[in-house]
Amino acid sequence: FAVEQARGFTGRAAVRFASSEFTDHTLSITHDRNQDIVNPFVNYAQETTYMYGIASNIMRNLTVRGDIALVDIRESDFGENADLWRVGAGASYVLGPKVRARFRYEYWHKSSDMRAGSGTDYSYHRNRASIFLEYDF
């Protein structure tokens, strides 16, 4: 789909493929462009995300997932230009008709050309683990 906004454009395309009764693959591309005065030094910003994910039901109540994504960040003039990589993996387990437990791990790596006035680098590495307990009502 594509949406034209007053000062920008957002579009997304995705393909989903089932390689078996239990396994799905997803490939998506998302593009977002904001044409505006983002800050005093930037008059447009755009991000393009490329993502591949896989999910498999390895048991009746257990699903495992993994994905990798690249976010290409570009800003005009003196703005930031960066690449952000994300790798994620997780599992979800159905505990009952309305209850599900999920675990997710993500590793993020951002490589940026932006430096703060004090020399601070906007590049980083991040590890994140999340645990969820969901109840539908």
Side-chain angles (χ1 to χ4, degrees):
F1 71 90
V3 178
E4 185 177 350
Q5 300 170 348
R7 295 186 180 111
F9 173 83
T10 300
R12 182 172 197 263
V15 175
R16 186 173 172 189
F17 170 72
S19 61
S20 73
E21 180 182 347
F22 306 105
T23 304
D24 286 334
H25 303 266
T26 305
L27 181 63
S28 67
I29 299 172
T30 305
H31 181 76
D32 183 34
R33 182 181 173 103
N34 184 7
Q35 184 73 38
D36 198 358
I37 302 300
V38 178
N39 68 48
F41 305 108
V42 177
N43 65 17
Y44 79 84
Q46 67 183 24
E47 291 184 6
T48 305
T49 304
Y50 308 90
M51 194 274 300
Y52 169 74
I54 185 169
S56 184
N57 293 339
I58 60 173
M59 292 174 35
R60 190 174 67 113
N61 290 346
L62 180 63
T63 302
V64 294
R65 291 179 166 74
D67 56 79
I68 185 168
L70 166 65
V71 181
D72 181 32
I73 302 165
R74 299 291 173 247
E75 295 179 343
S76 68
D77 306 321
F78 299 105
E80 180 179 27
N81 294 305
D83 294 321
L84 175 66
W85 285 94
R86 187 197 75 224
V87 177
S92 63
Y93 188 80
V94 177
L95 301 169
K98 295 185 173 191
V99 181
R100 178 179 32 222
R102 291 191 302 131
F103 171 78
R104 177 142 175 94
Y105 167 78
E106 293 179 338
Y107 170 75
W108 298 68
H109 171 79
K110 182 178 180 185
S111 177
S112 174
D113 67 351
M114 184 73 106
R115 306 287 184 268
S118 63
T120 303
D121 190 351
Y122 280 64
S123 299
Y124 60 82
H125 300 272
R126 178 177 298 152
N127 290 281
R128 180 187 314 180
S130 305
I131 298 173
F132 304 91
L133 184 60
E134 299 172 350
Y135 177 77
D136 294 331
F137 56 92

